[in-house]
Amino acid sequence: MPSKTFNRSGRFRLFYFLDKLSSRYRWYALIVAGAIFMVGCRDASTPAPGQSAPPTTINIQPLTQVVVSPASGYFPDPLPIHFAPGVTAPQSFAGSNKSILSTMGSVQTGAFQTTRLAVSLGPFPHRATTLYGSTIRSIGNNNIYQDNQGTWQMATTLHLSNSAFLPGDTTWSVIAHAHATNAAAPVPTAWVVDTLLIGSLGQVEKANYDGKYFEDSGNLYLLYSKALRTSPLHDGVVAQLMQSATQLALGAPTPLLAPDQANGGFNSEYFFGLNPKAPFKLVETGNVTKIGTKYVLAYSTGAYNTPGYKAGLAWSDTFLPLTGTTYRKLLQGDAAGVWGHPGHP
C-alpha cells in the first residue's frame, strides 16, 4: 500500500459530532454536524400553495480561517481532546498540523483560535539512526488525551524511512507515547516523545498509525489502525489493552472493525475505488463514543486524498466485541449501483 500521508485535507468530521453527543457540548455538536450535512442543501421552508420554493444555498460560515492555498480546508484532521470527568475546559481539538484549536466563547464565525503545538522527538532520531539506520521523516497525528485520573497523555504517529530496504518498501509508521513538559492551561502545548508503543524503528510494518487512548470500565486501551490481512491486504481498527499509558498489556490487540469479506464485501471500502489496480481495502481512523449503553464507532474508508473518502458508523453492545465478531456497520442499500452492484448494501 502507499505510505500514509498525514497532512490530509481537514474537515470537521462526523467523529466530532458523535464524540459530543453524550457531553455538555451536544448543541454545539448539532451545529457543526449541520454544517457538514447541509452544505449545498436547499431551503426547507414550506412554499405557498401552488408555488415552488426557490432554491436557496445555505451559507456555512467557517469557525476558523480557511486555508485556500494550498486548499487544506478548515483544520487538518481535527481530533477531539478528551478531558477528565468533572474538568471544565474549552472546546478543543488537536490536529495533524501540530496545532490546538479551541474556543471559550460562543460558536460563531471565527470563534476558534489556534495555538501552536510543540512536539519534540527527544532521543528517537538518534536511536533510530544509530541502531537501525532509519530516519524519522515526520510527525503525524497527535492525539492528546487527559485520562480519568487527570494525567495528560499523547499518542503520536511517527513516519520513518530506511533506504536499506527493498525499493517500494522503504517507508512505514509507528505509534509512540509523548509526555507533556508544560502545564499550559487548558491543554499542554509542549510535548516530548518518550516511548515506542506500536511498530518497529528498524523493520517495515505497514499501517500502525492514528493511535488514540480510550478508557472503559476502568481499563485503558490504545485504538489504532493495523494491517489485519496480507492477502488480500486489509487494514482495520483494533484496541490494545494497556497496562499503563506507556506499556502494553500482554495479549494481542482485539479487532473492532475491518473491511467486509462476506458476499463480495463492499466495493466502497476499496482504497483505489472501483476496478482497483490492487485489491486493497481499509477501515481506519476509529473513534469510539459511548452513547447510552451502546458503543458507536465512527470510521473512514476509501482513499484519504480522493473525493471517495467516506465516513461510516458501526456499533456494539460492548466496547470489545465478542470473540469472532466486530462492531456492526450501519448499511444503506445501493439502489443506483453507485458502487457497482445495484441493490447491494
Side-chain angles (χ1 to χ4, degrees), residues 169 194 272:
D169 207 18
D194 53 42
F272 295 103

Side-chain angles (χ1 to χ4, degrees), residues 2-338:
S3 62
K4 182 78 174 179
T5 299
F6 298 109
N7 188 21
R8 294 185 285 192
S9 176
R11 293 172 294 277
F12 283 95
R13 294 183 183 165
L14 181 61
F15 312 143
Y16 164 60
F17 172 57
L18 287 172
D19 184 71
K20 296 306 174 189
L21 274 177
S22 56
S23 78
R24 62 186 183 278
Y25 295 110
R26 180 176 300 181
W27 175 243
Y28 175 53
L30 292 173
I31 293 173
V32 176
I36 297 172
F37 296 115
M38 291 192 299
V39 173
C41 291
R42 303 297 187 185
D43 189 355
S45 60
T46 303
Q51 295 181 348
S52 298
T56 302
T57 299
I58 298 175
N59 291 322
I60 302 300
Q61 299 298 326
L63 301 181
T64 63
Q65 182 178 359
V66 177
V67 179
V68 295
S69 182
S72 60
Y74 293 175
F75 192 78
D77 285 345
L79 310 165
I81 294 177
H82 174 273
F83 292 92
V87 172
T88 301
Q91 189 62 65
S92 301
F93 302 87
S96 54
N97 63 344
K98 301 183 186 65
S99 295
I100 295 174
L101 181 70
S102 62
T103 180
M104 284 293 292
S106 60
V107 178
Q108 56 185 315
T109 305
F112 280 78
Q113 303 297 320
T114 57
T115 302
R116 194 65 181 163
L117 189 66
V119 183
S120 169
L121 288 171
F124 268 65
H126 177 75
R127 177 180 169 190
T129 301
T130 302
L131 297 180
Y132 308 105
S134 302
T135 300
I136 298 179
R137 310 296 301 186
S138 62
I139 300 175
N141 293 23
N142 298 298
N143 278 282
I144 299 174
Y145 185 90
Q146 187 181 36
D147 62 34
N148 290 345
Q149 288 69 48
T151 303
W152 285 103
Q153 317 288 352
M154 177 193 284
T156 186
T157 300
L158 307 181
H159 190 56
L160 293 87
S161 67
N162 192 321
S163 59
F165 298 119
L166 295 175
D169 207 18
T170 61
T171 62
W172 72 101
S173 58
V174 300
I175 301 171
H177 174 271
H179 65 272
T181 59
N182 71 338
V187 180
T189 56
W191 299 78
V192 177
V193 178
D194 53 42
T195 308
L196 180 66
L197 297 175
I198 303 294
S200 168
L201 297 179
Q203 182 65 43
V204 174
E205 295 180 12
K206 292 302 181 179
N208 295 340
Y209 62 91
D210 198 20
K212 62 198 66 176
Y213 291 104
F214 185 83
E215 289 172 275
D216 183 67
S217 300
N219 293 318
L220 179 66
Y221 296 88
L222 181 72
L223 278 66
Y224 65 99
S225 295
K226 176 179 174 62
L228 296 177
R229 290 171 57 92
T230 56
S231 183
L233 184 59
H234 281 191
D235 285 4
V237 177
V238 300
Q240 172 66 54
L241 178 63
M242 304 295 291
Q243 185 170 321
S244 69
T246 58
Q247 185 175 1
L248 278 62
L250 296 177
T254 300
L256 301 186
L257 195 68
D260 271 64
Q261 302 179 68
N263 301 316
F266 304 124
N267 289 344
S268 58
E269 293 179 342
Y270 276 120
F271 185 85
F272 295 103
L274 292 176
N275 304 312
K277 58 184 178 181
F280 169 52
K281 291 185 176 183
L282 92 165
V283 163
E284 65 175 5
T285 321
N287 291 265
V288 174
T289 301
K290 188 175 184 180
I291 302 178
T293 61
K294 306 296 182 182
Y295 294 82
V296 180
L297 186 152
Y299 65 95
S300 297
T301 184
Y304 64 88
N305 57 351
T306 71
Y309 198 45
K310 301 164 289 296
L313 293 177
W315 66 279
S316 175
D317 293 314
T318 56
F319 172 63
L320 296 180
L322 298 177
T323 303
T325 68
T326 64
Y327 278 57
R328 286 164 275 184
K329 296 174 184 175
L330 299 185
L331 305 178
Q332 181 177 352
D334 186 11
V338 173

